[in-house]
Amino acid sequence: KFEDIFDVDHFIDYLKHDVRIVRDIPDWFTDKSELFTSIRRTVKNIPKYAPAQFYIDNVLPRIKEKKIMALKPFVDRLGYDNVPQEINRLRCRVNYHALKFLPEIEQMADSLASRMRNRTGSSNPYMALHLRFEKGMVGLSFCDFVGTREEKAKMAEYRKKEWPRRYKNGSHLWQLALQKRKEGRCPLEPAEVAVLLRAMGYPKETQIYVASGQVYGGHNRMAPLRNMFPNLVTKEELATKEELAGFRKHVTSLAALDFLVCLKSDVFVMTHGGNFAKLIIGARRYMGHSQKSIKPDKGLMSKSFGDPYMGWANFVEDVVVTHQTRTGLPEETFPNYDLWENPLTPCMCKA
């Protein structure tokens, strides 16, 4: 729930001049279960980038009639273009000021970040790596990966079970995998990340904090990355079981710890898309672009990794040149651009 990771009092107080927020449904509304079960009190299937006028025309009349409504789904559902400036400014007040993690989460994250900086006995910068290579991510991507025949056969069975409509009879998947990798839509494997970071010039001694779920393939798949960057740790290696025990009640609490440690890092590297990485890059941009955030060009990586004639020097040059403009600086906006990843003016107005 919201209160499991966020400071509700701060949220309500910070936004009191913008929106009146209440903790509970009013007592006069007796059948609270109806709010989430009754079609009459639920607005569903809201278009993803619906303009503000959609809500005025379709939602407001129903709220006036029913007094209380549930809107779902309600994630990233209001269009960014042609929205009044005060609405975009409100978005930023909510996202970067009103949403504050619980004190115990903030304190533990500060402790983890401090331990990262002092692992060698002296103050050091550290990199945070969001490694998206969990079983579910690999399966859902329908991309090919380096692995044994047995491992790939098991993955095929997993995909067939979880996504039967997409899997069909499997005959089209090889061509699909090649196309997706060519377009840069496949998650980077740990070994690919290792080569990419080394090409960027990061030395073996680099301190790396890894934020991820259970990496598909376990220790064997992580081995190339750990061999090239031995100073690589997770929160489980930085903290004791007792320290993390209270956060294991909710998986979102553990994700919140990862989020804050990544946010505080000197360099943040994402390996695949997703809201987690987008929010971190956006927050770092909002705070002034002073911290580097690397968004790998996976299309280039696919092309370079697949070229048997490319030497190391040429590969390094390609990587360095390409990523000079992919370090978290503001990007040009476009229709339906992602405000959370790229919070430009008027969002930058902090008033």
Side-chain angles (χ1 to χ4, degrees), residues 199 309-321:
Y309 302 106
M310 177 170 282
W312 177 249
N314 288 336
F315 177 73
V316 168
E317 183 180 5
D318 279 358
V319 168
V320 171
V321 171

Side-chain angles (χ1 to χ4, degrees), residues 77-147:
R77 293 276 149 178
L78 184 63
Y80 305 133
D81 299 308
N82 302 316
V83 173
Q85 287 195 3
E86 62 266 24
I87 297 298
N88 274 343
R89 283 198 292 268
L90 175 58
R91 280 183 157 123
C92 284
R93 287 202 293 279
V94 171
N95 209 45
Y96 304 118
H97 300 278
L99 283 174
K100 185 178 177 64
F101 289 113
L102 291 171
E104 55 266 35
I105 293 177
E106 297 266 3
Q107 290 165 11
M108 189 67 224
D110 284 341
S111 179
L112 291 173
S114 176
R115 292 173 194 180
M116 279 302 303
R117 296 197 185 284
N118 295 285
R119 289 186 69 231
T120 60
S122 58
S123 182
N124 290 300
Y126 74 91
M127 171 189 291
L129 174 64
H130 186 221
L131 189 59
R132 298 297 309 276
F133 209 77
E134 306 90 349
K135 182 178 180 180
M137 172 56 64
V138 176
L140 180 60
S141 72
F142 276 78
C143 291
D144 191 30
F145 58 92
V146 176

Side-chain angles (χ1 to χ4, degrees), residues 27-37 41:
D27 292 334
W28 58 261
F29 189 74
T30 53
D31 191 2
K32 296 183 180 181
S33 62
E34 180 194 344
L35 183 60
F36 302 101
T37 58
R41 291 196 182 273

